[in-house]
Amino acid sequence: MQQHPAQPDPQAGALPPPKSARRLRHLVLGLGVLAVAAVLAGTTISLWRMHADVIQAAEDHLLGLAQILGAQTQRSTHAVEAVLNAAAEDALRSVQQGRITGSESLYRHLGETIASTPFVRALVLLDASGKLIIHTEQFPTPTVDLSGLDYFRAHFAEGQRQLIVSAPRIGWLRGKLSIPVSRRVDDA
């Protein structure tokens, strides 16, 4: 007969671990919890610092971009103003019988003026009542009353002579988004 080693009886009550073993187990668990808390705290602090660094870098980047956009906008505005001034001079040269008229030669000349300016899509010339005289996207120019436009009212009612940059809008002729920039031209 072979003898098998005795296996502990699962029914038999296990003896409670001695107090020192329980203390050791509690101490190890406590140290483990403290270690996890320290790692979490370190990770949180590290992430917060990284977050602050990323925010600062983004702010610096945006500031640089804003400066670049400001300079580009200023150059573009000066170029548009130069185009408008040249167009005003051309329009004044076309005065017939005391008023600016919409001739085909003026239409072509204004079209040539904006051809070298990629961010000027069209030039529009209105008379003192807001009626369209010239539109460089279409000749002959359609009969349209634009006296209700905000920039026309500012130039007409308030006598504004400086450049006015209006809110972006969809153009009435081609349906494209544009930012109207205007100046007043007096033909007399």
Side-chain angles (χ1 to χ4, degrees), residues 5-180:
Q7 293 186 355
D9 182 14
Q11 301 294 336
L15 295 174
K19 278 190 163 193
S20 62
R22 268 189 284 163
R23 270 193 218 153
L24 183 60
R25 187 173 51 202
H26 288 277
L27 181 63
V28 168
L29 283 174
L31 289 175
V33 169
L34 283 176
V36 168
V39 168
L40 287 175
T43 302
T44 302
I45 291 169
S46 177
L47 286 174
W48 184 257
R49 285 182 183 159
M50 287 172 48
H51 174 263
D53 291 345
V54 167
I55 294 293
Q56 183 61 47
E59 286 176 356
D60 293 344
H61 194 73
L62 284 174
L63 179 61
L65 183 59
Q67 290 171 342
I68 291 169
L69 287 174
Q72 180 62 36
T73 301
Q74 185 177 21
R75 283 191 298 273
S76 298
T77 302
H78 288 306
V80 168
E81 188 169 22
V83 167
L84 287 176
N85 289 337
E89 290 172 11
D90 294 340
L92 289 173
R93 280 194 289 273
S94 74
V95 171
Q96 293 177 0
Q97 298 173 351
R99 62 188 200 115
I100 298 173
T101 58
S103 66
E104 187 173 356
S105 64
L106 178 60
Y107 164 79
R108 271 193 292 237
H109 190 70
L110 292 177
E112 291 167 4
T113 300
I114 65 170
S116 63
T117 314
F119 40 82
V120 176
R121 183 177 297 137
L123 287 174
V124 175
L125 184 63
L126 308 177
D127 69 9
S129 66
K131 298 217 177 4
L132 187 63
I133 297 174
I134 287 282
H135 193 302
T136 56
E137 290 188 338
Q138 184 175 351
F139 191 84
T141 304
T143 304
V144 178
D145 181 4
L146 300 174
S147 62
L149 296 174
D150 57 345
Y151 53 87
F152 177 80
R153 288 193 313 266
H155 289 302
F156 182 75
E158 300 167 18
Q160 295 285 337
R161 296 200 177 279
Q162 74 267 14
L163 206 62
I164 294 178
V165 179
S166 299
R169 67 181 66 206
I170 301 296
W172 57 271
L173 187 61
R174 299 279 186 244
K176 295 181 179 178
L177 184 65
S178 62
I179 300 172

